[in-house]
């Protein structure tokens, strides 16, 4: 009873409401966590339904924002939960106003840029967060308790360079993402009820197809870590963030730096998802209603929108960020 009361008082921010976000927010709402803040920049598409367990065909037909669709679904099975749906891209500019009142932050994003931003914010303010990622059949998660455990930058000092596999290019096994959502929800419940001695202090990963799992100790900070050691919050300052500008009518330019792109490899990966062609200087990818032009240094121009959040989402889904 006491634990249930604590859950009802808890406020959890879920950043991203794709497969992981749908899984973890569904579990926490059914468990009785009283306040959920769901932040997502995307809209439900038919291709999401294979793995995003809160949504249905009607949501996709309406192209509902995922945060709004999630709030509606949760209201239908636990109307006691207060859900704040934010249709937004989490940025250095809005992270303070969005996340400052949360007790716990759950990573359910699809990109490293946002994860390092969350890490900087959480370490600066001493707020716990839970990293979670899945691609194909591989899933990984880690609890970050600032001042106690390692942070994301302790374990991975820098985001990956070049293009990375994403759920849109490599696919994703729905059972892998629900496994990691279940583990993340379990750790969140432990934290909210105050069972801190039960919180896992490792980086835990699974390859559910290859029958492998690994666990790396992450119970203390790495000396010299840029974020939790030196307290240099470069991601929160926006220094590592690609600059984005509107260029002309209905197109957005992403000035990515230092993300060398192998056109032949990326063409092969994008082939199943739209028309693609490239030469030595430029790669073009058409995915209705958008056209992406990509340069060898990772810079991109996305035609078909003047919404920077849509452009950043497409880049994260098909190039990786
Ligand atoms: Zn650290």
């Amino acid at each position: 009873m006491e634990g249930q009361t604590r859950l009802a008082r808890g406020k959890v921010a879920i950043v991203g409401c794709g497969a992981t976000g749908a899984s973890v927010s569904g579990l926490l709402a059914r468990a009785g966590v009283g306040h959920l803040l769901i932040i997502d920049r995307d809209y439900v598409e038919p291709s999401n339904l294979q793995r995003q367990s809160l949504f249905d065909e009607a949501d996709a037909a309406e192209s509902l924002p995922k945060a709004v669709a999630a709030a509606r679904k949760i209201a239908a099975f636990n109307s006691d939960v207060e859900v704040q749906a934010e249709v937004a891209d989490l940025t250095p500019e809005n992270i303070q106003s969005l996340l400052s009142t949360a007790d716990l932050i759950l990573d359910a994003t699809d990109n490293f840029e946002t994860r390092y931003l969350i890490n900087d914010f959480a370490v600066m303010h001493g707020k716990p967060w839970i990293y979670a990622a899945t691609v194909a059949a591989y899933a990984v998660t880690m609890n970050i308790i600032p001042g106690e455990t390692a942070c994301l930058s302790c374990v991975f000092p820098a985001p990956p360079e070049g293009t990375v596999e994403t759920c849109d290019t490599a696919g994703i096994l729905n059972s892998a993402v629900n496994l990691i959502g279940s583990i993340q929800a379990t750790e969140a419940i432990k934290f909210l009820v105050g069972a801190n001695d039960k919180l896992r202090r490792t980086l835990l990963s699974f390859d559910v197809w290859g029958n492998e799992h690994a666990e790396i100790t992450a119970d203390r900070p790495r000396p010299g870590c840029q974020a939790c050691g030196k307290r240099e919050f470069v991601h929160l300052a926006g220094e590592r963030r690609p600059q984005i500008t509107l260029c002309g009518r209905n197109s957005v330019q992403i000035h990515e730096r230092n993300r060398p792109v192998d056109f032949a490899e990326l063409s092969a990966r994008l082939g199943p998802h739209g028309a693609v062609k490239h030469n030595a200087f430029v790669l073009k990818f058409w995915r209705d209603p958008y056209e992406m032009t990509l340069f060898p240094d990772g810079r991109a121009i996305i035609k078909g929108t003047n919404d920077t959040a849509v452009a950043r989402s497409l880049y994260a889904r098909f190039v990786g960020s």
Side-chain angles (χ1 to χ4, degrees):
M1 198 62 209
E2 190 191 330
Q4 204 68 57
T5 306
R6 289 187 185 183
L7 290 184
R9 278 201 303 258
K11 179 166 183 183
V12 177
I14 296 151
V15 184
C17 197
T20 310
S23 169
V24 76
S25 59
L27 290 168
L28 293 182
R30 287 179 197 272
V33 174
H35 310 272
L36 297 177
L37 164 63
I38 300 177
I39 304 165
D40 192 280
R41 64 190 177 189
D42 287 324
Y43 299 81
V44 182
E45 294 178 29
S47 66
N48 301 150
L49 302 179
Q50 166 260 2
R51 59 187 180 276
Q52 300 186 7
S53 56
L54 272 186
F55 310 133
D56 59 34
E57 290 178 352
D59 301 325
E62 276 188 75
S63 291
L64 275 186
K66 290 182 182 179
V68 172
R72 286 190 190 174
K73 289 286 153 41
I74 290 168
F77 63 72
N78 190 347
S79 54
D80 289 337
V81 178
E82 177 200 87
V83 182
Q84 182 185 343
E86 290 286 343
V87 183
D89 192 17
L90 192 70
T91 64
E93 292 74 33
N94 65 15
I95 191 167
Q96 175 75 36
S97 66
L98 285 173
L99 298 186
S100 59
T101 60
D103 301 317
L104 175 67
I105 303 164
L106 301 184
D107 161 34
T109 66
D110 59 359
N111 66 89
F112 279 98
E113 190 182 336
T114 309
R115 292 190 180 107
Y116 280 89
L117 176 63
I118 294 170
N119 189 63
D120 270 6
F121 177 82
V123 168
M124 179 187 252
H125 296 280
K127 222 179 253 298
W129 74 282
I130 305 179
Y131 161 61
T134 310
V135 66
Y138 177 78
V140 58
T141 182
M142 179 169 83
N143 298 333
I144 290 124
I145 309 163
E148 293 183 31
T149 69
C151 80
L152 186 68
S153 293
C154 290
V155 180
F156 305 111
E161 290 194 349
T163 56
V164 292
E165 289 283 15
T166 69
C167 293
D168 285 274
T169 58
I172 183 166
L173 194 65
N174 61 11
S175 55
V177 76
N178 279 280
L179 169 69
I180 225 66
S182 289
I183 294 171
Q184 195 184 34
T186 308
E187 297 300 308
I189 290 169
K190 290 181 195 173
F191 172 79
L192 292 171
V193 301
N196 285 22
D197 58 322
K198 299 288 187 200
L199 285 168
R200 209 192 58 256
R201 287 156 198 264
T202 61
L203 176 81
L204 175 63
S205 65
F206 295 90
D207 175 344
V208 292
W209 201 255
N211 306 311
E212 288 173 7
H213 74 275
E215 217 166 348
I216 298 167
T217 303
D219 60 348
R220 66 189 66 163
R222 174 176 58 81
C225 169
Q226 187 175 32
C228 69
K230 297 179 182 164
R231 299 187 73 79
E232 293 169 7
F233 302 116
V234 294
H235 303 279
L236 198 54
E239 288 170 22
R240 297 285 168 82
R241 197 174 168 82
Q243 200 195 336
I244 295 196
T245 51
L246 297 174
C247 55
R249 232 174 41 143
N250 215 24
S251 63
V252 174
Q253 180 164 198
I254 299 181
H255 304 256
E256 182 67 73
R257 286 167 301 182
N258 198 18
R259 187 178 290 276
V261 178
D262 180 333
F263 283 166
E265 188 207 352
L266 189 62
S267 285
R269 232 190 264 172
L270 294 177
H273 307 285
V276 58
K277 67 178 186 184
H278 74 275
N279 57 28
F281 314 102
V282 66
L283 177 148
K284 282 201 173 231
F285 172 56
W286 290 268
R287 180 160 170 107
D288 207 34
Y290 309 107
E291 176 191 313
M292 187 189 302
T293 305
L294 197 66
F295 300 93
D297 61 357
R299 184 168 62 88
I301 294 172
I302 290 146
K303 271 192 206 161
T305 183
N306 47 27
D307 183 336
T308 56
V310 168
R312 286 162 45 77
S313 170
L314 280 167
Y315 195 94
R317 288 170 56 198
F318 293 105
V319 184
S321 66

